[in-house]
Structures are given as structure tokens and as C-alpha cells.
Amino acid sequence: MLILTEITKTYTTSEVETRALDAVSLEVAEGEFLAVMGPSGCGKSTLLNVLGLLDRPNDGSYRLACTEVTGLPSAKLARLRGEHIAFVFQNFNLIDDLTVAENVEVSLLYRHGPAVTKDRVRLVLDQVGMAHRAGHRPQQLSGGQQQRVAIARALAGNPSLILADEPTGNLDSANGEQVIELLRQVVQAGTTVIMVTHSHRDAAAAQRIVEMLDGRIVGETRL
């Protein structure tokens, strides 16, 4: 699915230079569930930004779906991101003024016709068990339900890779377990999931855990 080779990312100000990623190499297979762990400031979020084509590395190689992406112009990166990648965030990032169905539909408006879009919205909401809430607004839902809608929105574009940043961070344990189980089902259906988490319990649901420290991958565990 993706190969990182010696990826380095440095942030520079007038006073200091910070190496957020230091020669990171990583391979992730298609349909794999990978958890990324490490203390705050270790480079996890920067890694997700690079993987999601939101940030460019300073050095190294990144191949996504057999395409070398590090030197591509912004327009091509945006197209690749739209074709392959979806995001799930800790804070859900739903639009309060839109219904559940409309929040999911927004992710498809620029890529599909109205008929295909509405059919796909119904399908993914049913997949995450939220079809009965299609007409509700986010503030009428629990945190766990909002995260299910966020996962439906991610699935709507049929991505090959989902990047999840602390997806249970704002949920209680019961709702968190439901969200992790849903991500496992997504992987079983063939989608690759890379999840950043501080939770050892959540990470244990993955097939592999990589540990980061000071911008480097310092350990790996296969489960």
C-alpha cells in the first residue's frame, strides 16, 4: 500500500530547527491495521500529515499505491489524496448545521453524481449502524455516534487508506471499543487503516504496532 524510505521532516524558525521526522522508513501492506504509538511530540502527527499528503517531507521517498509522491505538484497530490485517502479525527469534525446524511454527502459532492452520492450515503450509514439517524444533526448525537458518522464519511469515498488520529480520544471506554471494532471491520473489508493512539488497549486491536520516539521509529510489535 505504501513505502516510506528515509523520510525526514524539519521545521525551521528564525531561532530553532526541529527535526520532527528523522530518517523514518516504514512499509504498510494493503489491508493492514497499523497502530502508531509514542509520547507527545515524538512525530506521530507529522507522520500522519506526510502519509496523508498534507505535508511534504524535506528528504526521502514516499510511494503510495505504486506512485512516488514526494516530487509531485500540489494539484496531483490533492487528486491522489481524494482517490486514496480518508481521515478520522479525535474531534469528529462534523458540520453542526448539516444533518448526518449531509455530513457524509459533502465528502462525495465533488466526485460523484447526485444519484450515486445518495445511494452511497445510505450504504455507508447502514454499514456503521447510523442509518436511523440520517436526519439528525451532530449535536443530537452522542460522541460515539458522531465518531461513527465520521467513519461513514471516511468510507463514503471508498478509500484504500484511512488515517485515524486518536479516534477514541474523546470517547468513554464502551464507545471507544465500538469504534475500534468498527475500524477492525473496515480492515477486514480490505481497507488499510493507520491509527495514531496513546491507548495500549486500542493498539492491541491492530495487527502491528510501531513505537516512535524523537522522530524515529524505535520499535515494532506484530500481534
Side-chain angles (χ1 to χ4, degrees):
M1 180 65 219
L2 62 87
I3 302 173
L4 298 181
T5 306
E6 298 289 311
I7 287 289
T8 297
K9 178 62 182 177
T10 302
Y11 296 101
T12 304
T13 68
S14 59
E15 298 180 354
V16 66
E17 180 178 280
T18 302
R19 180 162 289 193
L21 296 177
D22 188 2
V24 170
S25 296
L26 177 67
E27 295 189 22
V28 181
E30 184 175 353
E32 184 176 4
F33 190 175
L34 174 71
V36 180
M37 301 192 74
S40 297
C42 71
K44 301 188 302 297
S45 294
T46 302
L47 178 63
L48 273 197
N49 286 341
V50 170
L51 292 174
L53 307 180
L54 298 173
D55 210 348
R56 293 178 183 270
N58 297 98
D59 199 9
S61 169
Y62 176 17
R63 295 185 64 83
L64 173 65
C66 299
T67 300
E68 175 59 54
V69 303
T70 48
L72 292 179
S74 296
K76 289 187 177 180
L77 290 178
R79 184 166 67 248
L80 275 173
R81 187 166 54 246
E83 290 173 355
H84 292 286
I85 302 172
F87 300 86
V88 176
F89 303 98
Q90 178 177 344
N91 293 324
F92 320 134
N93 287 1
L94 301 178
I95 301 171
D96 288 340
D97 292 337
L98 300 182
T99 66
V100 163
E102 289 167 343
N103 266 279
V104 177
E105 188 176 358
V106 161
S107 68
L108 295 171
L109 287 178
Y110 299 105
R111 285 181 285 173
H112 303 282
V116 174
T117 295
K118 292 189 180 298
D119 288 345
R120 182 64 180 164
V121 169
R122 284 192 291 267
L123 178 65
V124 295
L125 284 177
D126 186 62
Q127 185 176 346
V128 302
M130 289 299 294
H132 65 298
R133 294 284 196 172
H136 289 71
R137 298 189 186 278
Q139 59 267 32
Q140 297 174 293
L141 307 178
S142 68
Q145 289 172 330
Q146 290 187 61
Q147 193 61 293
R148 283 176 171 270
V149 175
I151 292 173
R153 180 182 57 193
L155 291 173
N158 198 28
S160 49
L161 172 64
I162 290 179
L163 301 175
D165 190 1
E166 297 283 358
T168 67
N170 284 338
L171 305 178
D172 60 32
S173 59
N175 279 305
E177 288 175 6
Q178 292 175 7
V179 165
I180 293 300
E181 177 57 31
L182 185 53
L183 290 175
R184 291 183 67 177
Q185 293 171 17
V186 168
V187 171
Q188 289 170 1
T191 302
T192 305
V193 174
I194 300 177
M195 175 181 66
V196 163
T197 181
H198 284 99
S199 168
H200 289 277
R201 183 189 61 192
D202 290 355
Q207 298 160 342
R208 181 164 56 119
I209 302 171
V210 295
E211 295 273 356
M212 293 192 69
L213 182 66
D214 297 333
R216 299 180 179 182
I217 292 177
V218 295
E220 176 179 317
T221 304
R222 291 193 177 272
L223 305 173

